[in-house]
Amino acid sequence: MKCTDRKKKPFKVGVLSVVKHDYLPRAIAAHPRFSLSFVSDDISRPEWTHERNQKFADEFQIPYIKDIAAAIKDNQIDAVAVSPEAERHCELAIIAAEAGLHIVVDKPLSTNTHKCDKLIDAVNENGVSCLIWNRNYLPALIQANQKVSSGEIGKLLSLHCDFYFSKDAGPPIGSRKPNDPPIEWLDRQLEAHSDGSDGGVGTEAMGELEVEGIYPLAYIQMLTGGAKVNRVFARTKSHFHQAHFDNNVDDLATVTLEIEGGITGSLSIGRIGAASHPDIGEIKLHIIGTEGSVVISEARPEVSIHYRDQPMAEFKNQRIADQNNYLLAENFARSIDGTEKPILDCIEARDICATVSAAIESSKEGKPVNVDNRKK
Amino acid sequence: MTRLAFQLSSYQEEFLIAASWIDEIKVVSIDENPDAIVTDNTDIKSNEKSVLLFGSLPIEGKSLITPALPKRFSPEVIALRESLDAGNLGELGLLRMHLWNQKKSDRVQEMVHAIDLALWFFGANPEYIHGAASAEKEVKCSLIHLGFKCGGMALLDFTNSLPTGDNYESLSLIGSKGAAYSDDHRNRNLFFSGGAPGAKCPDIRMNFIGPMLKDFTQKIQTGADLESNSKSYNTAFNIFSEVRQKYYFK
């Protein structure tokens, strides 16, 4: 760990939409090297987005400007925190990059590699930094990375991630009556905001692989030292939730990964329902090297707390010493300083997007699919 | 009462102890005209007796030889199966298994039995079969990926990379209504004797023997279809062979 350089003047940050979870702009606001200047979004956005943006702006006592171009032009800012609907992440990040602003953007970057490529070009042309939100600084991930990068387990041969979020997503599959209309994706996501399970908020329906797959794939990306996934084979299914079934997106998926350097990997991922785990979910890494192997539980360290009249929905095991958000913000500050690379940059996130797209295609076709990685 | 003879080159003692705990079994020697034989010797002369073959590759055409499917009878699998059968987990969507063994382990047997377990839990043969492998020096890592007609999937990770000592197993069932997790990670206790502590599971490795013998003797007593094990084993073995051939398992 390194000290935060408190002598440097804080970077001024504009928040470009905060309609999903607000953990990202909150993390930036909580870090001493950043200060929030405004929240902005386009006036043409639907009313519910304005309500959420205004609420966040009010809490932080900063203006809400319903014109992104004007907000950027009229305020001297260094960077933006981008947290709109999932399908707009790339679009707003591109606007910022073209304005010469550093970017921290929520995950997933996009479901479309062409949009990612446009962002990468804008980032390169304008010499700005771009960090995509991830969980690579969780204590267990830091431990796993130290074990692998130190060479202690020898050459990496195989790694596997089990990534199950025990979140609900509306009514269970099979609950829709014959004459009921299919569930509208956006309606369901708006409803899910209250319990924070609206990771795929927007009009574009996204499956679990598209919304959350970036987390485990970013683990694999980090632990392999940036090795590319060359080919995938996948199975996907709408198994739990009516909203996923009605919108033809997965909530359960398995992916075989063939990775550069002769590494094999796999991912099993699902939004398995709140009843299926006492906490946020079973999340594990299994890593095999030529000289040793590692089993890591992403949740550790944690404490267990049980008491009479405990609310059913309260996690019985609580994660502790989780500094992921602070360390991501620190990494963003250092990447703006030019002293550190973003722990997950837009090129890496773009190739993760390509891996996810290939997995979805593989599942539809029932055969392995090559990953369309960005050409070097 | 079923009169069983045991002729095993390893674990004979453990089998005899387990048999002694089961009322329906009387242990006899191979010369005492047993009702059936439990062995790991594929060349055994069965004299028309049923044979439960443990830990060896069955020979085709010997119809009275029933391959043992020990993984179906391990305590964790029994608990998971009961929960699934009771409907607590809903429809099975995913079976995930990590199976790590030592360099000298019988990889083929381990993988075939794990595939059998996946097929047994789903109650179906897979529509899609895929695999991947990586290897260096003596360390081999293999992955088998199955897709079932119901949309369910199984992902099985194997390695023989562990040094001498314990194996590691993890089995998860993800169903539409619930999930069940069994893994050696969760079940380890710590032992301190200087330096980093050792982490060990209570030793229940051989606890499958009792339920497996009980199942075998019940089948003999009721005249149940002993060939179903052979069919299951052969199906799993054929899937393993297909994956090995297609995906370059070494």
Side-chain angles (χ1 to χ4, degrees), chain B residues 120-222:
Chain B
W120 182 61
F121 269 114
F122 275 101
N125 292 343
E127 244 186 353
Y128 299 94
I129 300 170
H130 186 74
S134 52
E136 181 143 334
K137 298 178 188 169
E138 288 183 313
V139 176
K140 292 166 187 165
C141 303
S142 315
L143 191 66
I144 295 179
H145 197 162
L146 307 174
F148 297 89
K149 195 173 182 183
C150 62
M153 52 202 93
L155 197 50
L156 315 171
D157 145 44
F158 304 92
T159 183
N160 70 336
S161 67
L162 297 187
T164 306
D166 293 352
N167 295 339
Y168 169 82
E169 285 193 32
S170 164
L171 172 65
S172 305
L173 301 182
I174 308 295
S176 57
K177 283 166 55 182
Y181 314 94
S182 154
D183 74 66
D184 292 344
H185 189 199
R186 187 182 298 255
N187 286 331
R188 284 185 184 271
N189 293 320
L190 297 180
F191 297 88
F192 294 85
S193 54
K200 294 189 79 64
C201 296
D203 189 0
I204 57 166
R205 281 172 304 156
M206 305 310 286
N207 284 33
F208 68 88
I209 299 174
M212 185 176 77
L213 292 178
K214 226 174 193 172
D215 176 74
F216 181 56
T217 51
Q218 270 168 9
K219 280 181 176 164
I220 289 171
Q221 284 167 359
T222 58

Side-chain angles (χ1 to χ4, degrees), chain A residues 12-13 37-38 71-79 101:
Chain A
K12 289 184 178 169
V13 179
S37 297
F38 60 80
I72 290 173
K73 186 168 162 277
D74 298 342
N75 290 273
Q76 285 198 324
I77 55 170
D78 307 290
L101 298 169

Side-chain angles (χ1 to χ4, degrees), chain A residues 87-340:
Chain A
E87 71 232 23
R88 293 174 70 216
H89 288 167
C90 230
E91 178 194 326
L92 296 193
I94 291 166
I95 291 170
E98 287 174 344
L101 298 169
H102 302 285
I103 305 147
V104 54
V105 54
D106 205 354
K107 61 82 200 172
L109 183 55
S110 178
T111 55
N112 181 316
T113 53
H114 298 298
K115 287 184 185 172
C116 299
D117 284 331
K118 210 174 160 195
L119 172 63
I120 294 165
D121 292 343
V123 163
N124 289 341
E125 279 163 22
N126 291 281
V128 295
S129 182
C130 181
L131 169 70
I132 287 74
W133 209 249
N134 60 80
R135 296 156 70 101
N136 284 3
Y137 283 124
L138 288 173
L141 265 296
I142 292 171
Q143 185 186 28
N145 199 29
Q146 281 168 348
K147 272 283 184 211
V148 175
S149 60
S150 68
E152 212 176 311
I153 65 165
K155 187 189 165 197
L156 185 62
L157 280 181
S158 192
L159 78 171
H160 310 276
C161 190
D162 302 347
F163 198 94
Y164 312 123
F165 268 157
S166 59
K167 292 181 177 178
D168 282 328
I173 204 160
S175 57
R176 179 154 63 84
K177 295 188 178 73
N179 294 323
D180 286 351
I183 295 175
E184 284 284 335
W185 185 257
L186 179 60
D187 290 348
R188 164 62 209 141
Q189 295 295 317
L190 294 178
E191 187 184 285
H193 189 60
S194 58
D195 67 5
S197 62
D198 58 339
V201 70
T203 54
E204 182 189 326
M206 292 183 189
E208 195 67 358
L209 254 181
E210 288 174 317
V211 176
E212 310 292 358
I214 190 169
Y215 284 144
L217 289 168
Y219 298 162
I220 290 169
Q221 198 277 338
M222 175 177 74
L223 293 168
T224 57
K228 303 230 181 249
V229 177
N230 289 328
R231 195 169 81 136
V232 297
F233 174 81
R235 304 307 305 149
T236 63
K237 192 184 183 200
S238 314
H239 191 65
F240 308 100
H241 311 295
Q242 192 68 46
H244 287 74
F245 181 82
D246 287 351
N247 289 277
N248 198 25
V249 292
D250 65 85
D251 52 23
L252 182 67
T254 46
V255 188
T256 292
L257 306 159
E258 295 172 25
I259 305 170
E260 267 182 341
I263 302 168
T264 53
S266 67
L267 163 65
S268 50
I269 184 168
R271 178 161 293 237
I272 64 175
S276 293
H277 196 272
D279 312 313
I280 195 166
E282 187 81 348
I283 304 178
K284 280 196 173 176
L285 279 159
H286 290 79
I287 308 167
I288 302 161
T290 51
E291 309 297 329
S293 310
V294 177
V295 181
I296 292 278
S297 172
E298 193 224 47
R300 293 177 185 172
E302 58 189 353
V303 294
S304 299
I305 299 174
H306 308 267
Y307 57 92
R308 192 176 297 165
D309 302 327
Q310 190 170 14
M312 286 287 283
E314 186 175 287
F315 295 159
K316 312 298 181 289
N317 299 303
Q318 292 178 16
R319 294 178 177 213
I320 54 168
D322 173 2
Q323 295 168 325
N324 187 59
N325 285 357
Y326 188 89
L327 292 172
L328 283 171
E330 178 71 22
N331 173 247
F332 184 45
R334 287 168 192 268
S335 74
I336 297 172
D337 292 341
T339 59
E340 211 170 271

Side-chain angles (χ1 to χ4, degrees), chain B residues 98-116:
Chain B
H98 302 280
L99 191 56
W100 294 1
N101 292 303
Q102 294 147 46
K103 290 191 177 70
K104 286 179 182 169
S105 62
D106 186 343
R107 287 178 74 236
V108 176
Q109 287 292 319
E110 287 291 335
M111 291 168 80
V112 170
H113 288 306
I115 294 167
D116 168 67

